[in-house]
């Protein structure tokens, strides 16, 4: 699985956070994994571990995001944009193996795929404030 594919899977997994209770997330992730075509066990383990690491940091990530997105309350942001930025902020702040520019560029590309017409520029603008 490429890094882009991993990010896209993590995006899809994290996207479920805002639509399900915390107690349901493990079941939702298992259902997501069941929908994948022949994933390797090590890839599933990596995705689940990374998902859990990101989930643990969501309160801190949301604080960082709220400060960077002055004028925008998190509950008013599109769920797609919010989820993409959470993933990118995790990579920027907590994953030292991923350069900031790469995290931002990948977030913008994922926003172009899954978001609306202005998602890419919105995500880029907010994340650029962090850089």
């Amino acid at each position: 699985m490429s890094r882009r594919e991993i990010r896209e899977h993590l995006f899809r997994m994290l996207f479920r956070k805002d639509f399900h209770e915390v107690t349901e997330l493990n079941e939702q992730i298992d259902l997501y994994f069941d929908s994948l075509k022949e994933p390797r066990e090590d890839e599933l383990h990596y995705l689940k571990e990374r998902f859990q690491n990101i989930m643990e940091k969501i309160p801190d990530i949301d604080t960082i995001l709220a400060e960077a997105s002055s004028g925008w309350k998190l509950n008013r942001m599109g769920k797609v944009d919010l989820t993409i930025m959470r993933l990118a902020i995790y990579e920027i702040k907590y994953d030292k193996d991923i350069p900031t520019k790469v995290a931002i560029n990948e977030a913008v590309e994922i926003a172009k795929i899954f978001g609306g017409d202005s998602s890419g520029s919105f995500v880029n603008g907010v994340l650029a404030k962090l850089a």
Side-chain angles (χ1 to χ4, degrees), residues 9 12 15 17 21 23 33-35 40 66 71 86 88 104 112 129:
H9 286 302
R12 289 181 184 112
F15 188 73
K17 176 204 174 300
E21 298 293 326
T23 56
F33 286 165
D34 289 343
S35 73
R40 293 191 341 236
R86 283 175 170 161
I104 293 171
K112 288 177 183 176
K129 289 183 181 180

Side-chain angles (χ1 to χ4, degrees), residues 69-118:
S69 61
S70 56
W72 280 90
K73 293 187 186 276
L74 298 185
N75 63 354
R76 291 194 58 226
M77 288 182 189
K79 300 295 185 202
V80 170
D81 298 345
L82 177 61
T83 302
I84 292 167
M85 289 187 289
R86 283 175 170 161
L87 177 56
I89 291 170
Y90 176 82
E91 291 182 342
I92 292 167
K93 296 294 183 183
Y94 302 104
D95 190 336
K96 301 305 177 199
D97 293 335
I98 300 174
T100 298
K101 288 182 180 182
V102 171
I104 293 171
N105 184 58
E106 289 294 313
V108 169
E109 292 304 314
I110 292 172
K112 288 177 183 176
I113 296 169
F114 294 102
D117 292 339
S118 62

